[in-house]
Amino acid sequence: MYRNFIEGIFTPAVKLMSQLWYWQKFAVLTVLFTIPVGFALFSFITQIDKSIAFTEKEISGIHYISSIYPLLQDLQQHRGMASLYLRGDVSFLPRLLEKEKNIREDFDLINIKDQEFGKELGTIDTLNTLQKKWAFFEKNYMKLTPKESAGQHTEFISDILAFIGYIGDTSNLILDPDLDSYYLMNTLVNTLPALSENLGQARAFTLSVQDPKKISDGERKDIINYIKIALIADEKIKRDIHVAFEANNSLEAVLGQPMKEMSVSVRSFSSLLDTFVNTNKIEMPLPEYYAFSTTVINSNFSLLESISPSLHDLLHHRTD
């Protein structure tokens, strides 16, 4: 019964083929084979096109995010300078004004990137809001106390970090599928900017303590917390980058040394803060402390500057 059923299905096709010339039979078979192969090829090409479009959007995100790092760095430095100036160190006023000029130039650079990628990444409105917020703050921060200034700087910088995270989402970077590029992306978008901000907050907090010659118990607890967060973040960044190295050993030649320098700087800064905690006072002159901590934080941005082109090259290689 089953055999008769099968024969019944194929009987019309057999009769048709028996009536055709050989060239006609070959033509029919060619068409029958071409249809599924063509469909498979079409599906394959469509999937490749989607992957290329996905990766190209990631590349747009890298270009945009990289343009924000100078602003983040300058804002963090402005916060520290403002703390010193509001404490009475008027020698920092020219540097503050120069830094404000740099910040305006940073926004100009970001606006150029926004004109290129803003519509694609959905950043236009947020960038406008950030610029207006900074313009208002720039006019009024000198009326604040050192602690108030540091607090409001920190609030604005948190908006910048959120903006970076938002671009990481809208550009597909957060969804990157490969181990090497994913962990570089996570370091670029999340962990390293967060570490630089923790160190920047520690710098500003120490510069705005009530009495540098006698740190209060509450201030000691805050400094200890900054130390813990910095050391944990340092370990996470090293672990993530090592995963990227294991997935792609060519990265170590480019990123190995900047990563080591960053880690050494973070630990030296943590040791300095630990000295303040143990002695209950800031023995280093505050301008000198600002200069030292700035050098440490700059090592974070040096690593960012190394990771960004490395990730860019990985994604370009994927599209190729």
Side-chain angles (χ1 to χ4, degrees):
M1 182 176 178
Y2 178 74
R3 181 179 179 181
N4 291 336
F5 175 73
I6 296 298
E7 289 179 350
I9 291 176
F10 286 101
T11 296
V14 172
K15 288 183 178 180
L16 175 64
M17 294 295 287
S18 66
Q19 296 174 7
L20 299 177
W21 297 94
Y22 278 110
W23 70 269
Q24 293 173 322
K25 293 178 182 180
F26 280 118
V28 170
L29 291 173
T30 299
V31 171
L32 292 176
F33 278 107
T34 300
I35 290 173
V37 171
F39 179 77
L41 183 60
F42 174 78
S43 299
F44 178 66
I45 292 174
T46 300
Q47 186 58 44
I48 287 177
D49 287 342
K50 288 181 180 178
S51 297
I52 290 174
F54 183 96
T55 304
E56 286 178 342
K57 198 169 185 181
E58 287 187 89
I59 293 172
S60 297
I62 293 172
H63 284 301
Y64 201 125
I65 289 173
S66 296
S67 73
I68 301 175
Y69 292 134
L71 173 65
L72 178 62
Q73 187 174 19
D74 285 334
L75 286 170
Q76 291 171 343
Q77 291 178 8
H78 188 275
R79 176 177 50 195
M81 292 178 184
S83 294
L84 283 167
Y85 174 72
L86 294 172
R87 291 188 75 100
D89 191 339
V90 295
S91 67
F92 271 84
L93 180 58
R95 295 173 64 181
L96 263 176
L97 297 177
E98 180 65 24
K99 189 57 62 176
E100 288 163 15
K101 177 176 176 289
N102 293 341
I103 290 171
R104 289 191 290 272
E105 291 171 349
D106 294 337
F107 272 118
D108 290 340
L109 174 62
I110 296 171
N111 273 296
I112 292 173
K113 296 299 180 183
D114 198 68
Q115 290 174 9
E116 187 174 358
F117 306 113
K119 187 175 181 180
E120 178 186 15
L121 302 178
T123 56
I124 298 171
D125 292 340
T126 304
L127 179 59
N128 288 335
T129 300
L130 289 170
Q131 290 182 103
K132 291 176 182 177
K133 190 172 181 179
W134 171 253
F136 177 81
F137 178 70
E138 184 182 356
K139 292 178 181 178
N140 294 281
Y141 76 91
M142 288 191 179
K143 303 172 186 176
L144 305 174
T145 66
K147 280 191 178 294
E148 290 171 341
S149 171
Q152 292 190 27
H153 272 90
T154 298
E155 181 182 337
F156 183 73
I157 292 171
S158 70
D159 292 339
I160 299 297
L161 293 175
F163 188 44
I164 292 173
Y166 173 78
I167 297 169
D169 292 340
T170 60
S171 66
N172 299 328
L173 279 166
I174 199 69
L175 301 173
D176 190 271
D178 298 330
L179 272 179
D180 52 0
S181 50
Y182 174 82
Y183 279 101
L184 291 189
M185 174 283 305
N186 191 50
T187 304
L188 195 73
V189 174
N190 298 314
T191 51
L192 199 48
L195 174 58
S196 77
E197 174 54 8
N198 175 73
L199 298 174
Q201 288 184 27
R203 173 178 57 191
F205 179 83
T206 307
L207 292 171
S208 61
V209 296
Q210 190 74 22
D211 182 3
K213 295 180 180 179
K214 187 178 181 182
I215 301 175
S216 69
D217 290 340
E219 290 168 337
R220 287 180 71 253
K221 289 178 182 178
D222 286 334
I223 293 174
I224 290 171
N225 191 48
Y226 286 126
I227 295 171
K228 289 180 179 178
I229 293 173
L231 294 177
I232 291 172
D234 174 54
E235 287 300 321
K236 177 168 177 50
I237 289 168
K238 288 191 294 185
R239 183 169 61 249
D240 287 355
I241 293 181
H242 275 298
V243 173
F245 289 170
E246 291 172 2
N248 186 338
N249 56 22
S250 67
L251 293 171
E252 188 166 5
V254 179
L255 301 178
Q257 188 60 32
M259 182 187 68
K260 290 177 183 176
E261 291 173 358
M262 182 277 297
S263 183
V264 169
S265 293
V266 169
R267 293 185 176 276
S268 66
F269 184 53
S270 298
S271 297
L272 177 63
L273 293 180
D274 206 35
T275 301
F276 298 162
V277 169
N278 292 333
T279 60
N280 282 346
K281 59 183 178 180
I282 302 172
E283 297 177 328
M284 181 182 290
L286 293 182
E288 185 179 333
Y289 167 75
Y290 172 83
F292 174 77
S293 56
T294 298
T295 300
V296 171
I297 297 170
N298 286 347
S299 69
N300 284 247
F301 286 95
S302 294
L303 180 55
L304 282 171
E305 290 170 2
S306 299
I307 291 175
S308 182
S310 295
L311 179 56
H312 183 274
D313 290 346
L314 286 177
L315 296 180
H316 261 300
H317 179 71
R318 185 192 301 166
T319 59
D320 291 341

